[in-house]
Amino acid sequence: MGLQFMSNAPVLSFVIPLYNSAETIGDVVTKIAALDVPGGHEIVLVNDGSRDRTREVCEKLIQETTIPITYVEHARNFGEHNAVLTGYRHTRGEHVINLDDDGQNPPAEGLKLWRHARETGLDAVFGDYRTKEHETWRNLGSWFTNRVADALLDKPAGLYLSSFRCVSKLVAQGVTAYSGPYPYVDGLILQITQRVGAITVEHQARQAGESGYNMRRLVSLWLNSVVNFSVVPLRFATILGGISAAAGVLGVGVVAILWLMQRGPAFGWGSLMAASLVFSGAQLLMLGIIGEYVGRAFLVVNGRPQALVRLVKRSSD
């Protein structure tokens, strides 16, 4: 039975990272299983350290679902993008669709991404939402991340990056070659290919529960996209340092001229403190940026794992 599972490779794989998904993943899997995909499809579920009944629900789905399911369990919570890479490593399809576990990405819309990728020959197609059923602060965070990506990543201007994406097998294999502890899937995709695009898809309200993303996780994701895939922040620090130094030299020149003309104003403690705060703040900002790069390099050198798989179960086992 196991050999038959490996030989009959489907044309399409669905990868779903899970975190406390017991209430929502059953409906998502049912909808995916009901899709009509010529050539067959499979589902790869990656449990990223859930603390609820997600494992029990997934084991039941393995027994009841009519299409192949692979269940992968991380030893602890490593993050959504780490879970996506783990899922990519267990896929067999010629294309891979990545979607969320909360039902906000309709599986039928995923087929639109897949068909568009096949028709156009694109290596990656992202879902561009007409309207997003997220809280306002989440929408603002997504908008900001995309604007930063426009400036720092090598991507077509205006291309919307989302976690609802379809990639080719070539891209999935290329992305999984990355072994660092701080992956950013979209950045990795853009390093591999420029044959990318986006189409409009629907985005539905969350079925149950609360999102696993909070402000801390969004900031961490933003840092991964900025620091891991661009040296622009270091160049920004250099420019800021140059501007601060130039302003200091200019200030010294102005003070010297006023002193020679005996017209110098009587600067007080407040003025000196303001100037000191401006320059010390710039220095601390530059040190923080450099420290972020050095700290991440340190963790990579010391072998911080991207993820550790505790368990793998397949519907063929």
Side-chain angles (χ1 to χ4, degrees), residues 35-107:
L35 296 175
D36 182 16
V37 180
H41 58 305
E42 67 173 356
I43 303 173
V44 178
L45 305 173
V46 183
N47 186 358
D48 189 38
S50 297
R51 300 178 180 179
D52 62 357
R53 298 177 54 257
T54 296
R55 176 176 175 175
E56 298 175 28
V57 172
C58 290
E59 289 177 339
K60 185 177 181 181
L61 290 171
I62 288 176
Q63 301 297 324
E64 298 177 350
T65 306
T66 57
I67 66 172
I69 293 182
T70 299
Y71 171 76
V72 185
E73 185 174 300
H74 279 173
R76 58 175 292 270
N77 179 256
F78 288 93
E80 178 188 356
H81 288 243
N82 304 60
V84 170
L85 293 192
T86 296
Y88 281 180
R89 293 186 179 100
H90 289 81
T91 59
R92 300 175 296 139
E94 292 300 316
H95 285 84
V96 182
I97 294 175
N98 178 208
L99 69 161
D100 293 338
D101 59 349
D102 52 15
Q104 292 191 275
N105 302 138

Side-chain angles (χ1 to χ4, degrees), residues 216-231:
R216 181 182 64 82
R217 288 177 179 268
L218 286 175
V219 170
S220 176
L221 177 61
W222 181 80
L223 284 175
N224 289 348
S225 67
V226 171
V227 176
N228 285 22
F229 297 92
S230 176
V231 295

